[in-house]
Amino acid sequence: MIAITLPDGSQRQYDRPVSGAEIARDIGPGLAKSALAVRVDGVMKDLATVIAADAQVAIVTRKDPDALALLRHDAAHVMAEAVKELYPETQVTIGPAIENGFYYDFSRPVPFTPDDLALIEARMQAIVARDEPILREEMERGAAVRFFEDMGEAYKAEIIASIPDGQAIGLYRQGAFIDLCRGPHLPSTGKLGKAFKLMKVAGAYWRGDSRNEMLQRIYGTAWFDEQELKAHLTMLEEAEKRDHRRLGREMELFHQQDEAVGSVFWHPKGWTLWRTVEAYIRRRLEATGYVEVKTPQLVDRSLWEASGHWEKFGANMFTVLTQDERMLAVKPMNCPCHVQIFRVGIKSYRDLPLRMAEFGSCHRYEPSGAMHGIMRVRAFTQDDAHIFCTEDQITSETVAFCELLKAIYGDFGFEDVRVKFSDRPAIRAGADETWDRAEAALLEASAAAGLETTLNPGEGAFYGPKLEFVLRDAIGRDWQCGTLQVDFVLPERLDASYIAEDGQKRRPVMLHRAVLGSFERFLGILIEHHAGRFPMWLAPVQVVVATITNDADDYARTVLASLKAVGLRAEIDLRNEKINFKVREHSLAKVPVMLVVGRREGETGSVALRRLGGAAQEILALGDAVAKLVSEAAVPGA
RNA sequence: GCCGAAAUAGCUCAGCGGUAGAGCAACUGAUUCGUAAUCAGUAGGUCCGCGGUUCAAAUCCGCGUUUCGGCACCA
C-alpha cells in the first residue's frame, strides 16, 4: 500500500502507483479541473508524475505561490512552438519564466519585427485553443544530443552536451514541438489561458557572454486572468509616468543634450534638490566623526599606475595630453587621492580611525549602451569616504556605517533595503587568512547592525570583500546605492602607514564606503520613488502663494516675505488667472503646499492652506501657517 | 560595445514621393474670477546631420550622431 498524505493531514491509501492527476480526481472534480501540477515531498512535479512510495502530496492550483512561474514557463514553450511553426528555420535555445513574465531566446538570421510579434501572439492563441497535451519523455544523453543535432538545433545539442553524464535528459512534447526542459509543466497548452502578451524583442548574448553570438530574445508577460494582465499593463503605464527623465523635464529639474553625453545640466530647481541632499549628508557625516576634503580632478598618469587603476581601469578613464606632453587622467575614483592626504605627515594609531569624506566628482567612460538618464552617467559625484583604520576596528566601523546608512535611507523614505555580501573572487590579492578575517569581520558587523545579507559568491573586489546595499525603484529595477568594501591592497600599493602603539610602522586598512552611491543616480531614484511628489524638506519649491484677484497682491507679497524670512523655499503667483488655473498648474508642478489669498484673507490676515492632491482647505492665521510649515519642512536628523 | 527600434514646433504626436500640420505651452489683448484648464488673436520648423536616387525627398536608399528597449558592462 502507498500512503499519500495531503496538506490537511488526511491520508489516502493506494494499492498501486498513482499519478498526481488521479489523486486530484479522487479528491474532487473541481480540484481535478483546476489542478496544474503536484508537489511531492515539497518538490514541484508534473501532474502526470507517478508516485510509487509514501509521500506528502499537495495538488498545485493557481493559488500556489509558484504556480505563476509554471504558467510563464509554459508560455515560453508555447511561444517557441508558435515561432517554430511560423519560422521553421529558427533555432530555439532557452526560455525561462522571469519576474512578471517570460522570454525565449531564438537564433534566426532575420530579425523579428513588431509585426512578427503580433503573428506569433496570434499563433500562440491558436496553440492554446488546440489544448495540446504536454508530455514528458526521457532520453539517454548521447541519443538526445543526436536527436537535436538531427533536427538542426545546435544550441539545444550544446546545452545537453554540457549536462553531466549519467543524468537522464528530460524532454517535453506538445503537438509537433519538442523541447529540452527539466520541467515541470502544466498538463496541456490550454491551461495557459489568454492572459498573456508579447512585449518586446531585444538582443541577448548566447549564454550571457558578450564574446558569443547575439540571439533574438522575445519578452512576454503572462498571468492567470485578464484582470491581472490589465493591472500589470496599467502598472507599467504608471511607472512610465514617474520616469525620472520625464519628471526631470516636466519639473524643470535638469536636462541632458547630445553635446555632453553622459553628463547632466542641473537647472535651478534640480540643483536646489541636490544642495538640500548634500547639506543633509554633510551634517550626517559631521555628526558621525567624518572630516571632509576635496581632491584634484586631473592627476598624473603615474599615480594611477601606482594605484593599479591604470592597468585595471584604464579603458574607462578619460585622459588629457598636456602641451608639455604629460598624460593626465580625470579621476574615476577618489581613493588614491585620499591616500595622498593620509600620507602627508606621520600618522599615529591615535589618529585612527580616520574617516575622510569627499563629494568627489568622478568621470568614467561608460559603454555607450549603459547610459540611462541620470541614473547611469559618465560624470557623477559620489558621497564617497575612506575610513583608514586598524584591522581590529573593521567591525565597529562597519556597524557604525550600517547604522548611518539605515538612518539616511529611512529619512529618504526607503525602509526596505536588501544587502548583498560579496566574498572572495577567484582572482584576488592577499592571503587566504586575511580574507578569512575580513569576511568574518564584515559578516559579524552586518549581523550586529541587524542586517540580513544574501551571499553574492565570488563577487568581491579583488582587494577585499564587500557589502552592497540595493534599493528597488518604481519600475522594479534594482539599483545598487550604498557599498562598503574592505581593502588591504591600496594602502600597500600607495605606501600608507601609521605608527602603532609599539612604535612599529603598520599598514592601515581602508574601508571604501558610500551611502547614496552617486548623487545623480540617487536623485534619479528619489524622483521615481516619490513620483516627483517630494516630501516637504526635499521639495525644490515648498510653498506657492497664489492670489485670487489683484486686490490681494500686496498682502500676498507680505505672506511671501514671511515665508522667506524663516527660510522656506517659496514662490508667488500674481498672474491674472483664475484660481482654478493656478491650482492646476502648481499641482502639476507638484508643489506640496499652496497658500491661497484673496480679499478675505487680506482683510483678516489669514491664508487658505491647500495641500497637493487634497481637496480640503485650512484657513489659518498667517503666523500659525508659517510656524506649521516651518516645522513640516524641518530637515530630518537636524 | 552588441541586437532592434526611433529622431518632425518648447512638449505630445499626425503626415510616409507633389505648398510642413494639430493639441497643449509661448506671446499679445480682453477678462478680476474662491481651490485641477476663461475667451480671442499672433508667432513659432535646417522635418537629427551628410551623401545618394528622383522632374520632385520630412517621406525611398546609404553612412554617421543621438535617444529608447534589451544584452553585456557597472572595476
Side-chain angles (χ1 to χ4, degrees):
Chain A
M1 292 295 274
I2 298 165
I4 301 296
T5 309
L6 297 169
D8 64 0
S10 68
Q11 278 206 344
R12 284 173 176 269
Q13 306 290 331
Y14 290 92
D15 54 9
R16 57 182 171 78
V18 62
S19 75
E22 288 173 284
I23 297 171
R25 206 176 309 135
D26 291 347
I27 297 170
L31 188 61
K33 207 171 159 205
S34 57
L36 301 174
V38 63
R39 216 180 264 285
V40 183
D41 293 329
V43 182
M44 182 102 90
K45 296 197 166 162
D46 295 331
L47 203 55
T49 303
V50 173
I51 301 155
D54 291 0
Q56 299 276 340
V57 171
I59 303 298
V60 174
T61 66
R62 65 155 71 181
K63 286 185 192 133
D64 189 285
D66 295 329
L68 252 183
L70 204 63
L71 179 89
R72 288 168 179 162
H73 188 188
D74 269 55
H77 273 233
V78 170
M79 178 165 74
E81 183 179 1
V83 166
K84 287 293 284 185
E85 285 185 10
L86 291 165
Y87 316 99
E89 76 285 4
T90 306
Q91 289 189 61
V92 296
T93 68
I94 56 159
I98 53 172
E99 190 171 14
N100 296 327
F102 61 95
Y103 68 78
Y104 209 112
D105 286 348
F106 300 99
S107 171
R108 177 170 180 248
V110 191
F112 289 113
T113 66
D115 291 343
D116 290 334
L117 287 199
L119 285 176
I120 295 166
E121 196 174 301
R123 183 59 65 104
M124 288 173 71
Q125 299 287 5
I127 292 169
V128 170
R130 277 188 234 152
D131 198 18
E132 296 165 349
I134 302 174
L135 304 166
R136 183 185 169 90
E137 297 172 14
E138 287 194 358
M139 217 179 257
E140 179 275 321
R141 194 175 74 147
V145 170
R146 280 191 302 280
F147 180 76
F148 280 102
E149 275 175 353
D150 289 347
M151 277 201 298
E153 297 283 3
Y155 293 92
K156 282 290 179 196
E158 190 181 327
I159 295 170
I160 297 166
S162 65
I163 293 174
D165 213 353
Q167 225 168 296
I169 307 297
L171 303 178
Y172 279 82
R173 187 187 291 279
Q174 56 193 63
F177 177 70
I178 184 158
D179 198 3
L180 165 77
C181 189
R182 75 167 70 84
H185 271 284
L186 302 180
S188 70
T189 59
K191 297 279 185 201
L192 175 55
K194 289 185 171 175
F196 62 86
K197 183 173 163 56
L198 300 189
M199 303 297 283
K200 57 199 168 199
V201 57
Y205 295 107
W206 166 238
R207 300 204 148 168
D209 189 329
S210 60
R211 289 166 301 188
N212 291 340
E213 67 265 52
M214 182 153 276
L215 307 170
Q216 296 187 63
R217 173 173 298 179
I218 301 178
Y219 282 96
T221 185
W223 303 84
F224 274 113
D225 57 55
E226 310 260 2
Q227 282 87 345
E228 286 173 338
L229 173 63
K230 209 171 157 205
H232 178 245
L233 296 178
T234 306
M235 191 279 291
L236 288 181
E237 277 170 35
E238 291 302 314
E240 206 174 306
K241 282 186 199 153
R242 60 167 70 194
D243 188 304
H244 75 280
R245 292 165 297 191
R246 176 184 178 138
L247 289 173
R249 185 181 59 238
E250 288 175 357
M251 298 176 70
E252 300 175 328
L253 300 176
F254 61 84
H255 89 272
Q256 297 176 279
Q257 67 186 46
D258 294 356
E259 287 80 359
V261 171
S263 297
V264 186
F265 292 78
W266 287 100
H267 292 208
K269 283 177 187 159
W271 192 244
T272 298
L273 176 63
W274 177 303
R275 285 189 298 125
T276 304
V277 171
E278 183 177 304
Y280 162 81
I281 293 290
R282 181 170 279 131
R283 221 192 24 256
R284 281 281 187 192
L285 292 179
E286 279 167 5
T288 41
Y290 286 77
V291 290
E292 186 179 328
V293 299
K294 196 75 181 173
T295 61
Q297 285 297 306
L298 290 167
V299 179
D300 194 274
R301 168 181 177 160
S302 56
L303 181 65
W304 303 110
E305 285 173 343
S307 70
H309 287 87
W310 191 261
E311 189 204 347
K312 296 255 173 211
F313 203 68
N316 292 300
M317 288 162 68
F318 288 96
T319 53
V320 183
L321 204 52
T322 62
Q323 288 175 8
D324 59 354
E325 294 186 345
R326 280 160 66 103
M327 173 79 84
L328 305 179
V330 187
K331 71 174 169 185
M333 299 182 201
N334 307 300
C335 19
C337 291
H338 288 185
V339 176
Q340 302 316 302
I341 294 180
F342 183 88
R343 275 166 42 92
V344 172
I346 295 173
K347 293 290 181 294
S348 147
Y349 70 94
R350 295 177 203 273
D351 295 318
L352 306 185
L354 175 56
R355 309 183 189 94
M356 192 184 292
E358 176 172 3
F359 296 107
S361 175
C362 297
H363 290 71
R364 299 179 189 174
Y365 189 81
E366 301 285 355
S368 58
M371 246 78 72
H372 177 85
I374 64 173
M375 302 271 215
R376 189 81 183 273
V377 285
R378 287 178 175 158
F380 54 92
T381 303
Q382 296 177 311
D383 66 322
D384 199 12
H386 295 93
I387 301 171
F388 296 87
C389 63
T390 67
E391 223 177 298
D392 292 342
Q393 291 167 334
I394 293 176
T395 302
S396 58
E397 286 304 303
T398 302
V399 169
F401 174 66
C402 290
E403 279 166 4
L404 173 66
L405 186 124
K406 215 154 77 177
I408 292 175
Y409 287 164
D411 284 344
F412 283 111
F414 298 105
E415 300 299 338
D416 184 20
V417 182
R418 275 159 301 155
V419 189
K420 292 192 290 185
F421 172 74
S422 301
D423 64 3
R424 64 192 78 186
I427 299 168
R428 58 183 180 267
D432 281 355
E433 59 181 33
T434 314
W435 276 90
D436 290 341
R437 289 202 307 274
E439 288 171 359
L442 258 194
L443 275 180
E444 182 195 325
S446 45
L451 300 170
E452 259 181 52
T453 59
T454 56
L455 183 64
N456 202 15
E459 292 295 315
F462 74 95
Y463 48 74
K466 59 183 176 185
L467 295 176
E468 291 173 335
F469 300 85
V470 178
L471 302 179
R472 177 163 284 196
D473 79 13
I475 317 177
R477 290 170 302 201
D478 286 340
W479 294 100
Q480 184 195 313
C481 291
T483 183
L484 183 134
Q485 308 173 10
V486 183
D487 182 2
F488 294 97
V489 173
L490 204 58
E492 178 78 36
R493 292 196 70 134
L494 295 178
D495 192 26
S497 62
Y498 68 95
I499 308 299
E501 281 177 276
D502 58 6
Q504 297 284 309
K505 218 164 126 178
R506 293 265 167 74
R507 293 271 176 236
V509 177
M510 267 175 95
L511 304 179
H512 305 239
R513 44 109 293 167
V515 179
L516 309 183
S518 90
F519 274 77
E520 286 79 359
R521 172 182 294 187
F522 190 79
L523 293 179
I525 294 166
L526 210 51
I527 291 166
E528 298 200 354
H529 184 68
H530 292 293
R533 298 179 160 217
F534 294 114
M536 192 72 168
W537 72 281
L538 286 169
V541 178
Q542 296 169 315
V543 192
V544 166
V545 183
T547 50
I548 289 172
T549 74
N550 290 156
D551 295 344
D553 284 4
D554 286 341
Y555 177 62
R557 290 192 189 95
T558 311
V559 173
L560 178 73
S562 30
L563 293 169
K564 291 203 159 183
V566 292
L568 286 164
R569 297 186 289 270
E571 291 186 350
I572 191 165
D573 186 350
L574 300 178
R575 291 175 302 173
N576 175 15
E577 295 288 353
K578 287 182 162 183
I579 193 62
N580 280 305
F581 182 86
K582 295 185 184 184
V583 164
R584 176 178 160 81
E585 200 158 88
H586 298 299
S587 298
L588 290 174
K590 300 177 172 54
V591 176
V593 172
M594 282 181 76
L595 296 182
V596 176
V597 297
R599 206 170 289 143
R600 287 209 295 269
E601 286 75 14
E603 283 161 5
T604 57
S606 62
V607 293
L609 189 153
R610 181 190 209 282
R611 290 178 194 281
L612 177 58
Q617 323 155 33
E618 203 178 349
I619 309 294
L620 294 169
L622 176 56
D624 293 346
V626 170
K628 190 182 178 91
L629 293 175
V630 166
S631 83
E632 286 179 17
V635 175

